[in-house]
Amino acid sequence: MTTRFILAKYAPDIARMEPRNIGVFLWARGDIKMKFLRTSEASFVSDADTYERWLAFWKRNINGEHVAPSRGKAISKSDPACMDALISTQKGNYILVDSGELLRNIAK
């Protein structure tokens, strides 16, 4: 299976749509890992508490056996489509963008 990744972005002003990268999700062989800026590194985010709540929400969402989309049934992490379920959780200033696949296999 091909490794997929999603970029997480924060757009301070949705109307201007000038998002900045805040993190990344990586799916490989049925597991998802995430890496985000620490709150202190994301000084451009207008509300640090909301930023931390989003990180906690996404962490809970990827830690189980399934990923729960905003609507519909949860999708097993063994299925690459779970990344689409994760993308469906974006809202407002917090944007998730399918950013591609790695063509070479990587270890879990």
Side-chain angles (χ1 to χ4, degrees):
M1 287 187 230
T2 306
T3 302
R4 283 183 69 184
F5 62 99
I6 294 172
L7 283 178
K9 298 174 177 271
Y10 174 79
D13 183 350
I14 296 293
R16 291 183 62 159
M17 194 45 77
E18 296 171 336
R20 294 186 63 181
N21 294 340
I22 55 173
V24 64
F25 294 94
L26 178 74
W27 178 90
R29 302 175 189 237
D31 197 15
I32 302 173
K33 298 293 182 194
M34 63 185 255
K35 180 78 173 175
F36 278 77
L37 294 174
R38 289 183 291 252
T39 306
S40 62
E41 298 169 325
S43 58
F44 53 89
V45 173
S46 62
D47 184 348
D49 291 335
T50 301
Y51 179 72
E52 290 177 14
R53 281 195 300 274
W54 271 104
L55 297 185
F57 167 75
W58 282 324
K59 189 173 185 176
R60 281 192 313 273
N61 206 343
I62 67 170
N63 277 343
E65 294 294 318
H66 299 83
V67 175
S70 292
R71 295 188 178 135
K73 294 173 59 175
I75 299 175
S76 172
K77 285 187 356 186
S78 64
D79 184 347
C82 70
M83 294 297 269
D84 297 320
L86 185 60
I87 289 171
S88 77
T89 65
Q90 71 179 353
K91 186 174 180 181
N93 302 74
Y94 294 88
I95 304 162
L96 299 179
V97 179
D98 190 353
S99 296
E101 302 174 344
L102 298 177
L103 300 179
R104 288 187 292 171
N105 287 334
I106 62 171
K108 195 171 190 178

